[in-house]
Structure formats: C-alpha cells, structure tokens
Amino acid sequence: MKYSFLKVKSIASLFAITGLLLFSSCSNEETKTTNNDAVVQVEETESNEDLIIGSWVDKSPAALHFSIHEDGTASSDNMKTLLYKSWALEGDQISFVIESIGNKTSSIDTLNYTIEKLTNDELVLRDGDTTHEYTKD
C-alpha cells in the first residue's frame, strides 16, 4: 500500500511538472529558437497595419507626401494631380486607389505594391523593378 501511494504521488508530480513546462513555453514575450546553430529572437511587434498608419514622405528630390489613415482612407498631402483616395493591406501587399487628374480629364486606378520594408520610420515599396522609399513625417 505504501508503494502504490508513492507511485500515484510520483505520477501526479510528473504531470504537474510537465504542465508547468508546457505552460511556461507558451509565453507571448520573447521566444528563442535554434536553427542551424543560429539563435533567432522573435519579439512581439506592432502589426503592419499599425505601422503603416501615418504620413509618408518620398526620399526622392520630389519629396512626394501622402498620408494613410486608420479608417481606410488615404490623402495626398502635396500632390495636386495624383490624389490618394483609399488603401488596403493584405499580407505584404498594399493597394492604393488613386485619382489621376490631368488637363480636363481624370481617371481612377489602383496601384499595387509589395512592402519590402516597414518600420516605425521607414517604408519601402516595390512595383516590379521600381523601388519607392519613404520616411515617416
């Protein structure tokens, strides 16, 4: 009888320790994994949608400036002939609905870009072979 009590207690202890180990491995803070002897740190970051919201200035000499708003709208801050209307984000793809205004004509189009880099301060968009670099205003 003494041995069966110890067996049950040992099994219960084993389940408790296993549960604690599993629970502690599910934390949301920082995870380290090893892949090919390299340590990779994964940290919680803001979502792309949170990072993309704001005003962006083109790094080119033209310094084109547009804003991306939380409600899905977009605006051109210093462009009179290319008006940003709205935006949509899906994975690493961003689309802008724009209105191009010319001499007595206007057209609405959708511009699609791949997001190459997105941080709190920097946005790099690719359209085929063309790269557009922006800084947050």
Side-chain angles (χ1 to χ4, degrees), residues 94-112:
I94 188 164
S95 301
F96 294 100
V97 174
I98 54 104
E99 181 178 3
S100 180
I101 300 174
N103 291 333
K104 299 182 185 179
T105 64
S106 84
S107 62
I108 294 183
D109 198 5
T110 301
L111 302 175
N112 298 303

Side-chain angles (χ1 to χ4, degrees), residues 40-56:
V40 178
Q41 280 190 294
V42 180
E43 296 180 15
E44 282 188 34
T45 59
E46 294 181 70
S47 72
N48 283 349
E49 195 165 311
D50 291 336
L51 290 173
I52 200 101
I53 302 297
S55 295
W56 297 96

Side-chain angles (χ1 to χ4, degrees), residues 2-22:
K2 184 177 181 181
Y3 292 112
S4 64
F5 175 72
L6 289 175
K7 225 182 212 184
V8 170
K9 191 172 181 180
S10 296
I11 291 171
S13 296
L14 180 62
F15 278 117
I17 291 170
T18 304
L20 286 172
L21 288 172
L22 286 173

Side-chain angles (χ1 to χ4, degrees), residues 17-86:
I17 291 170
T18 304
L20 286 172
L21 288 172
L22 286 173
F23 181 73
S24 67
S25 69
C26 294
S27 79
N28 286 335
E29 292 176 16
E30 187 176 291
T31 305
K32 291 185 180 181
T33 59
T34 303
N35 187 6
N36 296 332
D37 298 329
V39 176
V40 178
Q41 280 190 294
V42 180
E43 296 180 15
E44 282 188 34
T45 59
E46 294 181 70
S47 72
N48 283 349
E49 195 165 311
D50 291 336
L51 290 173
I52 200 101
I53 302 297
S55 295
W56 297 96
V57 178
D58 185 355
K59 289 184 177 180
S60 75
L64 302 176
H65 188 200
F66 65 93
S67 293
I68 297 173
H69 307 284
E70 252 183 281
D71 64 357
T73 61
S75 59
S76 302
D77 299 329
N78 71 343
M79 298 176 275
K80 303 249 188 251
T81 60
L82 183 64
L83 305 178
Y84 282 65
K85 299 291 188 177
S86 63

